[in-house]
Amino acid sequence: MLPPRPAPRPSDLRGLPCASRLESRAALAVTAIATAWFALAAAWEMFGPILAGHYASSAGVGIIAENMLRWKIAGPVWEYTASRPPPEMYYCHHPWGIFWTTAGFMQVLGRHDVVCRLPAILLSAATPPLLHAIGRSVYRPAAGAAAAAAFVVLPITLSFANLNALEVPVMAWTLLGLWGYVRMTQTSRRRYLAVSALGLALGMHSDWPAFVLTGGLLAFGAIRAYVLPKRAFGPVHERRYAQWWVLTAFTAALTAALYLALFHHAGKLGDLLASYGFRSSGNTAPLGKVLESRRYWIELSFTPVAIAAGKLGAVVCAARLALLRREHDALPLLYLATATVQYVVFRQGADIHIFWPHYFGAYFALAAAALVDTGAALLERAAAARRALRSASSATSPSQASPSPSAAPPAATAAWPPAATPAWPPASATPAWPALAALALWLAPLAVVLRDGLPALRYARETGGRFNERGHLIHSDGAKTAFLRWLAPRLPTDAAVEMHEGMKATWAQVWALGGRVARPNRPAPRQEPPRGAYLVDTRFMLDRDQASLARRFDITAVGPFWAIGAAGGAGPPGARGIEAFSFREREPGLLAWYLVSGTEPEREIVPDPFLTWELRAHFGQPAEPPAEPPGTLEQKRIAHNIALAAGDGARAAALLAEISAALRPLGARFDDGTELLGTTFHEGARSLLTIFVRAGGPATDDVTLAVRSRVVERAPLSTTMADPVTREVGLPTAISPQRWRAGFLYADPVPIRKRPGTEVFWASMRARERGRAPRLVDGGGASEVEVLRLR
C-alpha cells in the first residue's frame, strides 16, 4: 500500500506553479543574463577560420553539407569527390540530422565558415531559456533561473558551445521535448504534445543518446500511467497521456527504422555495429580506476564544486521522487542515466574525447532546479515554523491568558483558514524571499565554477577543444590554414591537392582548400609535378626527402610549408628553385578578436627574400643576398648567416650583438656544440616563445630541438587540480638540425597555449630514437634548460 501522496502544489491559470511577481522578475533577469553570456561565448570567433582539433569536425559537417548540395544526395560523405559519390561512401555511424540542418543553412547562406558553426551557436543560445522554462514549469521561477545559470558556467558547456557536432543539438532538442512533455502533463493541451514529440524526434535525428533518453521517458511513462496505481503520481488526462505515449513511441520506432533502412541500403550496418563495438571496448580496468585515470579531464570539464553539487542533486531528486511522488522529479534522473550510458558504456570514446561527458551538463542544470526548489521549500517551512512558535508564545502570554472579568467578550470570528483556501499560499501571498535566498545561495558556488570556466573556454579555443591531449603535441594549424587559403585561388578549380603525411591532414584543412578534392598521406611525386599541388610541412618531413624535392622541383615555400606544382612557372622542373614567402603577423583589433579570432594573430603572406636566401643556401641552390637592409629580428638573424657565409666576420659580430641585446639570455651550451643563446616572448592572441640557437654544426640523424612543459602549481582560487601531464609543446624546426651550419643562427618559434596554473617550459636537444641526447655543459648531467615560466 502506498502512503497518501502529498498535496499537489497550487498552480495558476496557465498550469504553472504559483510564484510572486518579484520572484518571477528576478528569475527572468538571471536567465536573461545567463542566456546573453552563453550566446556571446558561443559566438566568439564565429566568423573565423576553422582550425585543427575536435573543432575540425565542424568543418567535416560543412564538407558533408556541401557534398549534399553539390551532388543532390541525402547521405553524408566526409570527403570531396570528382564525381557523384555512391551510397557505399556514406557515413553511417550517427543519424544524419545535423548534416541535413547544416545543408539547409548552407543552401540559404552560402559556403562560409560561419555556416559550419551557426546551427550550434543558435541551439546553444536557446538552451538556457529552455532550461529556465523546464525549471519554471516543474518547480518555480527561481529554480528555472538556477538551471539556466548552472548550465552556462560549466567549463565543458562553455568550451563546446559552438561545436556543430552531436551533443549540442541533442541537448537542445531533447530539452525542448521535455518542456513540451511537462506542459502537456500540466495542461493536457495538444500543442504541447506536438512540441514534445517534435523535440524528441529532432533529438533522435541528432544522435543515439536521444533514443536512450526517449526510451527511458517512455518506460517511466508506461509505469507511471499503466502499472502503478493511479494515485501514485496524481491524476493525469489519460487520453492525452496515451496519445503522447503512442505518438512518441511511434516516432522513435519510425526514426530507428528509417536509419536502419538507410544504413542497410548503403551496406553499412556491419560498419555501424563494428564502430560501436570499438567505442565500447576502451579501457578494461575497473570503473573506479578508469575514472581515476580521467580525473583531470573530469575536474577540468566540471570542477570539483559542480561534481559535488551534481552528486547531491541526484540524491535530492531521487528522494523527491520517492517522497513527494511528483513525476517531473524523474526528468533529471533520466538525463543522468542517459549521460552515464554515454560515458560509461562507450569507454573508448570517453578515453580519447574530452567532450564525451557533455550530456552531464544538461543533467547538472536540471538537478540545480531541484536543489533550489528544495532549498526554497526548506526555508519556507523554517519561516512558517518560526511564525507558529511566535503565535504560540503570544497566545500563552500572561496578558492574554488572564483576561479582565469586566472586559467585553471578544467578537465572534470566523474559523481560519477558510476551508476553501489552499494549503499553499496563492501567488499574491507567496513570499519571494525564500526562493530568492535559495537562488542567491546557489549562485555563490556557481561563481566558483565560473572562475575555472572562463580560462577553460580560452584554453579550449586555443587547443581546438583538445586541452592537454594527454601530453601529445598540439598544433592549432592557424598558419597552415592561412597558407591553404592563400594557395587555393592560385590553383585550377578542378585540380586535386595531394598532401604529404607530415601535413597531418584534417577536415579543416580540406575545407580551407575551397571544395577541392584532397588526397592526404600521399608519397612525393617522382618526375612530373602534379597538375594541382603537392603540399608538405617540412617540420614533419625527413631532411633527405626535403632535399630530394628541392633538387627535382620548383617550390613555393610559405614559412615551413612547401607547395610543388602550384606556381606553374616556365622552364623545366627545378629551374626556378625555391621562392619563399613568410607570414606577417599582427594582433587583431577588438572587433576582429571577438568575431574572427581571439586566439590567433591576423596573418598576411608576403614575399620574403631573406627566407628565400636561407632555403636556397641550405639546399644547394644559387642564392642572392637581399638588397634591402634587415628590419625585423628574424631578418637580422638571416642577415647574420649571410654575413658568415660571405666571410664578413665584423658584420656578423655586429648583427649578433644586436640580436643578443633583444633576447632574454640563456647561455646554455650542449656538448655537441649547440648553444641556446636566448629567447623572446610575445604575449598576445597567440603567445609565442622564440628560441634562438647558434649551431655547432650539423646534428646527428636523430637529434631535434624539443620543448616540453609542466604545471607546477594550480591556479589561484581554482578548485581544479593541476594538470599532471608533461606536455610536448615545441614543433620541429623548419630546417632540420641535420642541415644546420656551424656558427649559423636558427630560430625555433614555439606557440604557447598556457594551461591553468603555473606552467614551466623546458628546452633540450633530444634524440628521437635510442641515440644519445646532447647534455648541457656544466649542467651536472642535465639535458634540459628552463626557457619560460608563466603564472
Side-chain angles (χ1 to χ4, degrees):
M1 292 290 293
L2 290 172
R5 180 175 176 268
R9 177 179 295 177
S11 58
D12 59 20
L13 295 177
R14 299 168 297 170
L16 296 172
C18 293
S20 70
R21 184 174 298 177
L22 177 59
E23 179 188 346
S24 298
R25 288 180 175 178
L28 285 176
V30 171
T31 302
I33 293 172
T35 302
W37 153 244
F38 202 62
L40 287 171
W44 183 29
E45 302 182 317
M46 64 185 295
F47 293 102
I50 302 173
L51 304 181
H54 295 310
Y55 293 166
S57 62
S58 294
V61 175
I63 293 170
I64 286 174
E66 190 172 7
N67 279 329
M68 287 179 169
L69 298 177
R70 177 183 293 178
W71 303 113
K72 310 300 182 186
I73 56 177
V77 177
W78 282 118
E79 58 189 89
Y80 292 114
T81 58
S83 59
R84 181 185 175 93
E88 291 76 18
M89 294 185 67
Y90 291 173
Y91 176 69
C92 296
H93 291 181
H94 298 279
W96 296 349
I98 62 170
F99 311 127
W100 293 334
T101 300
T102 307
F105 275 81
M106 190 175 293
Q107 178 69 41
V108 174
L109 300 176
R111 187 189 193 276
H112 305 287
D113 294 316
V114 67
V115 170
C116 299
R117 300 185 178 105
L118 193 55
I121 292 171
L122 295 176
L123 289 172
S124 288
T127 300
L130 285 170
L131 287 165
H132 170 266
I134 294 173
R136 169 68 180 99
S137 301
V138 173
Y139 304 111
R140 61 194 313 147
F151 188 79
V152 304
V153 300
L154 290 175
I156 193 169
T157 55
L158 286 169
S159 299
F160 296 101
N162 71 340
L163 181 61
N164 189 23
L166 307 171
E167 289 77 11
V168 169
V170 167
M171 287 189 290
W173 292 128
T174 55
L175 289 173
L176 176 66
L178 293 183
W179 175 72
Y181 168 78
V182 170
R183 297 297 287 141
M184 186 272 297
T185 58
Q186 291 173 335
T187 66
S188 302
R189 293 180 178 175
R190 289 190 181 92
R191 64 171 176 261
Y192 293 123
L193 183 154
V195 168
S196 177
L198 176 64
L200 294 174
L202 291 173
M204 288 183 284
H205 277 284
S206 299
D207 201 18
W208 308 120
F211 283 89
V212 178
L213 178 64
T214 303
L217 187 62
L218 288 171
F220 174 79
I223 295 172
R224 177 248 188 274
Y226 308 116
V227 176
L228 294 178
K230 295 186 183 301
R231 64 186 181 88
F233 287 98
V236 68
H237 191 296
E238 293 186 8
R239 181 179 179 184
R240 189 73 71 237
Y241 203 89
Q243 289 173 342
W244 169 84
W245 198 97
V246 171
L247 178 60
T248 304
F250 175 75
T251 302
L254 183 64
T255 305
L258 169 67
Y259 286 110
L260 288 175
L262 290 172
F263 295 175
H264 175 73
H265 174 70
K268 291 295 187 74
L269 274 180
D271 185 43
L272 172 68
L273 297 176
S275 71
Y276 280 92
F278 175 69
R279 288 291 190 210
S280 61
S281 57
N283 198 326
T284 59
L287 181 60
K289 291 185 178 180
V290 172
L291 296 179
E292 181 61 28
S293 69
R294 301 175 189 162
R295 179 188 167 191
Y296 177 68
W297 274 13
I298 294 172
E299 288 195 10
L300 184 65
S301 298
F302 295 96
T303 78
V305 173
I307 293 169
K311 293 177 180 178
L312 176 62
V315 174
V316 169
C317 289
R320 289 177 63 106
L321 184 64
L323 299 177
L324 302 180
R325 297 209 299 280
R326 294 172 182 160
E327 62 183 301
H328 300 143
D329 284 316
L331 300 183
L333 299 175
L334 290 173
Y335 230 110
L336 175 62
T338 300
T340 302
V341 169
Q342 164 84 353
Y343 191 66
V344 173
V345 174
F346 301 106
R347 290 192 177 189
Q348 188 273 344
D351 285 338
I352 63 175
H353 297 111
I354 192 172
F355 59 80
W356 213 249
H358 200 169
Y359 294 115
F360 285 104
Y363 155 71
F364 177 70
L366 295 174
L371 286 173
V372 167
D373 183 65
T374 303
L378 293 176
L379 290 175
E380 287 173 352
R381 291 195 177 190
R386 290 182 62 187
R387 289 194 299 268
L389 287 174
R390 289 176 184 172
S391 298
S393 175
S394 176
T396 58
S397 64
S399 60
Q400 295 188 7
S402 302
S404 171
S406 59
T413 57
W416 186 265
T421 302
W424 199 282
S428 60
T430 301
W433 74 263
L436 296 180
L439 177 59
L441 290 173
W442 175 247
L443 293 179
L446 291 189
V448 178
V449 176
L450 183 60
R451 186 261 168 262
D452 286 325
L454 286 174
L457 171 60
R458 178 170 182 85
Y459 188 20
R461 294 297 175 90
E462 288 180 322
T463 61
R466 291 168 290 185
F467 295 93
N468 67 2
E469 194 70 349
R470 300 194 182 277
H472 298 299
L473 182 64
I474 293 175
H475 343 205
S476 73
D477 276 3
K480 189 181 297 182
T481 301
F483 159 66
L484 295 174
R485 289 174 179 269
W486 174 84
L487 180 68
R490 291 166 170 78
L491 301 176
T493 55
D494 59 344
V497 175
E498 297 185 354
M499 298 183 181
H500 178 260
E501 62 182 354
M503 284 291 289
K504 302 183 184 299
T506 66
W507 290 312
Q509 292 180 35
V510 176
W511 170 262
L513 286 168
R516 290 173 175 77
V517 175
R519 302 188 180 106
N521 304 324
R522 290 301 181 100
R526 295 191 176 184
Q527 295 180 350
E528 294 296 324
R531 177 173 175 271
Y534 182 74
L535 307 183
V536 168
D537 184 342
T538 57
R539 298 170 299 182
F540 300 97
M541 188 180 204
L542 294 176
D543 177 67
R544 62 174 179 269
D545 294 335
Q546 296 179 40
S548 175
L549 291 177
R551 185 174 59 253
R552 293 182 293 123
F553 299 107
D554 293 328
I555 292 173
T556 300
V558 180
F561 311 112
W562 288 6
I564 298 169
R576 181 171 56 87
I578 301 175
E579 181 181 357
F581 298 76
S582 62
F583 296 100
R584 181 180 294 166
E585 299 181 347
R586 62 180 180 271
E587 289 299 312
L590 181 60
L591 195 61
W593 180 91
Y594 177 74
L595 292 176
V596 180
S597 179
T599 55
E600 292 286 337
E602 295 181 346
R603 293 182 173 92
E604 180 185 2
I605 295 177
V606 295
D608 190 339
F610 288 89
L611 182 57
T612 299
W613 180 91
E614 181 168 59
L615 292 175
R616 289 184 176 184
H618 280 79
F619 287 97
Q621 298 180 2
E624 288 293 329
E628 62 196 67
T632 67
L633 200 61
E634 175 68 5
Q635 290 175 348
K636 291 177 181 179
R637 177 190 69 79
I638 298 176
H640 167 274
N641 296 343
I642 294 173
L644 275 186
D648 190 348
R651 172 66 172 159
L655 287 167
L656 178 60
E658 287 186 43
I659 294 169
S660 298
L663 303 181
R664 185 180 74 87
L666 291 176
R669 185 183 295 275
F670 291 88
D671 57 13
D672 68 343
T674 303
E675 181 182 3
L676 304 186
L677 291 178
T679 64
T680 62
F681 179 65
H682 170 75
E683 188 171 5
R686 185 261 4 243
S687 297
L688 186 69
L689 170 72
T690 305
I691 303 174
F692 283 76
V693 183
R694 180 157 55 185
T700 56
D701 288 342
D702 61 346
V703 171
T704 184
L705 179 61
V707 182
R708 298 189 299 172
S709 74
R710 295 188 288 273
V711 177
V712 297
E713 185 180 3
R714 73 180 181 184
L717 303 179
S718 173
T719 60
T720 300
M721 65 181 291
D723 189 348
V725 170
T726 298
R727 191 179 69 175
E728 297 287 342
V729 295
L731 294 164
T733 54
I735 296 178
S736 170
Q738 288 74 52
R739 196 166 287 273
W740 286 358
R741 297 184 181 182
F744 273 31
L745 301 184
Y746 299 91
D748 183 19
V750 182
I752 300 298
R753 299 172 181 92
K754 183 184 176 299
R755 293 179 278 181
T758 300
E759 189 170 15
V760 181
F761 298 81
W762 302 79
S764 64
M765 299 299 296
R766 187 189 308 168
R768 286 195 182 97
E769 303 297 335
R770 296 183 179 180
R772 177 186 177 278
R775 297 281 177 176
L776 287 169
V777 176
D778 299 329
S783 60
E784 293 182 319
V785 59
E786 181 178 326
V787 292
L788 183 65
R789 181 179 292 255
L790 295 176
R791 290 179 173 83

